[in-house]
Amino acid sequence: MSGDVTAQRVLVVGSANVDFTVAAPRLPAVGETVSGGTLLVNHGGKGANQAVAASRLGAEVRFVGCVGDDDSGREIRAALEAERIGVDGVGVTREAATGTALIVVDGEGRNQIAVAPGANWRLALEHVRSRADDFAWAHVALCQLETPLETVAWALEEARRRGAVTVLNPAPVREGLVDLWRFVDYLTPNEGEAERLTGIAVRDLRSAAAAGHALRRRGVGTVIVTLGAAGALACTGEGDGERVMRAPAHAVTVVDTTAAGDAFNGALAVALGGTSRLEDALRFANAAAALACTRRGAQPSLPTRAEVDGLLRASERGDLP
Ligand code: RIB
């Protein structure tokens, strides 16, 4: 990927939140109060994060989502526009406030996230259907599970019908998942999500591959299990059998892992919209995810194309930090 010029058209259908993040000495246990943290307020939401990631990496991006009729919603829309993202598909509801996430990050960069979805759960099927032009425009369509499942299923089916590559980041895994697997070209669970989706305890590469194969048998094209510091493992193949491909992570100093998965998905969408091979796309996405771990917050942490290309070149030369 390094050096490729990209002008892929990525459509993201998903969530947008305001994130209140406390960097604390450690994560609280049930019923415990942990003091001594510092607060960061910024924009998040898996959908908006993935849209920002793809735009910073050089794609043309449009976002379809729903915010509240409040200051947060207006600020989110303006911020997405400032990132060069098409926001005509951002609807506004008076029935709920803009989505909010409460995040705690510990000294090792691990997080706990609780979300009040608010307006994200008011993203109506009629609204998504009204964005037909966006589906016709897109090379890649990217969804997550923070909006109503019927909108996710419809978006994936419509994108597939229009000839776009479809990517589903199944985060967070929810009850009542409809049968949408056959519309998914690339499914990108992390270890916990792969485990919840399959019942297979994902503890190592072997069990990650077993979960990936199980999800492929449901009709998904390629399953990419993200494994944190162990990189990513892809289960793919056509006709003549299964192929497993592993891309190691880039070693970085981890500050905050929030939105690392979103950086991975946004970058993957950019790479898949181009001509890159799957292994190059995985390296590119791993580099974006690694860089997102080196900075605090969700959208403030998402890297630029120059940063990702720089890390890939450093990794090729073997002079990593
Ligand atoms: O993936 C990180 C995101 O999850 C945060 O930005 C938060 O808003 C939640 O949606």
Side-chain angles (χ1 to χ4, degrees), residues 4-321:
D4 279 358
V5 175
T6 53
Q8 275 60 253
R9 299 202 292 251
V10 176
L11 174 65
V12 180
V13 180
S15 57
N17 292 332
V18 176
D19 289 356
F20 292 84
T21 303
V22 173
R26 60 191 168 76
L27 302 177
V30 174
E32 187 190 16
T33 301
V34 173
S35 192
T38 58
L39 176 68
L40 175 71
V41 182
N42 60 263
H43 295 149
K46 295 180 195 305
N49 294 345
Q50 293 174 17
V52 170
S55 181
R56 288 189 190 163
L57 294 171
E60 278 182 59
V61 180
R62 295 183 185 180
F63 180 67
V64 174
C66 186
V67 295
D69 185 12
D70 47 34
D71 287 346
S72 297
R74 287 182 277 279
E75 283 162 19
I76 285 173
R77 186 188 172 97
L80 291 172
E81 210 166 8
E83 295 277 353
R84 299 178 305 109
I85 293 167
V87 293
D88 289 350
V90 177
V92 177
T93 179
R94 291 192 169 163
E95 291 169 11
T98 295
T100 304
L102 301 182
I103 303 175
V104 184
V105 179
D106 73 6
E108 294 173 49
R110 297 176 303 182
N111 63 38
Q112 284 175 339
I113 304 180
V115 175
N120 294 302
W121 280 14
R122 304 299 171 117
L123 178 62
L125 188 53
E126 312 86 76
H127 176 72
V128 181
R129 280 180 191 269
S130 76
R131 304 305 305 172
D133 287 355
D134 293 336
F135 287 88
W137 165 90
H139 296 143
V140 180
L142 177 54
C143 299
Q144 323 73 36
L145 297 178
E146 288 190 319
T147 51
L149 296 177
E150 60 177 3
T151 63
V152 176
W154 189 86
L156 291 167
E157 185 173 0
E158 178 68 2
R160 167 68 67 78
R161 194 175 72 78
R162 301 280 193 158
V165 174
T166 60
V167 183
L168 175 63
N169 175 219
V173 172
R174 286 163 54 184
E175 300 301 320
L177 267 184
V178 286
D179 179 16
L180 39 69
W181 309 114
R182 65 188 184 283
F183 304 119
V184 179
D185 293 319
Y186 294 87
L187 183 74
T188 58
N190 64 19
E191 294 140 297
E193 289 151 3
E195 184 166 334
R196 283 195 62 195
L197 288 170
T198 62
I200 297 170
V202 177
R203 300 285 176 267
D204 49 24
L205 296 176
R206 198 188 176 97
S207 48
H213 291 318
L215 289 165
R216 284 200 74 228
R217 282 195 292 276
R218 293 184 193 170
V220 172
T222 294
V223 178
I224 300 171
V225 184
T226 57
L227 301 165
L233 182 124
C235 296
T236 186
E238 264 171 36
D240 57 346
E242 301 275 342
R243 270 199 312 143
V244 176
M245 196 181 291
R246 181 179 166 227
H250 300 263
V252 289
T253 303
V254 174
V255 172
D256 179 351
T257 54
T258 307
D262 299 329
F264 184 96
N265 279 278
L268 183 74
V270 173
L272 293 173
T275 54
S276 54
R277 297 173 308 159
L278 181 57
E279 56 198 294
D280 293 332
L282 294 176
R283 284 182 63 244
F284 185 72
N286 274 344
L291 287 164
C293 292
T294 64
R295 293 187 283 247
R296 284 189 70 183
Q299 289 172 26
S301 76
L302 299 169
T304 63
R305 182 59 184 253
E307 290 174 313
V308 170
D309 285 347
L311 179 57
L312 288 171
R313 280 195 299 273
S315 147
E316 276 156 24
R317 290 196 304 266
D319 57 351
L320 284 169

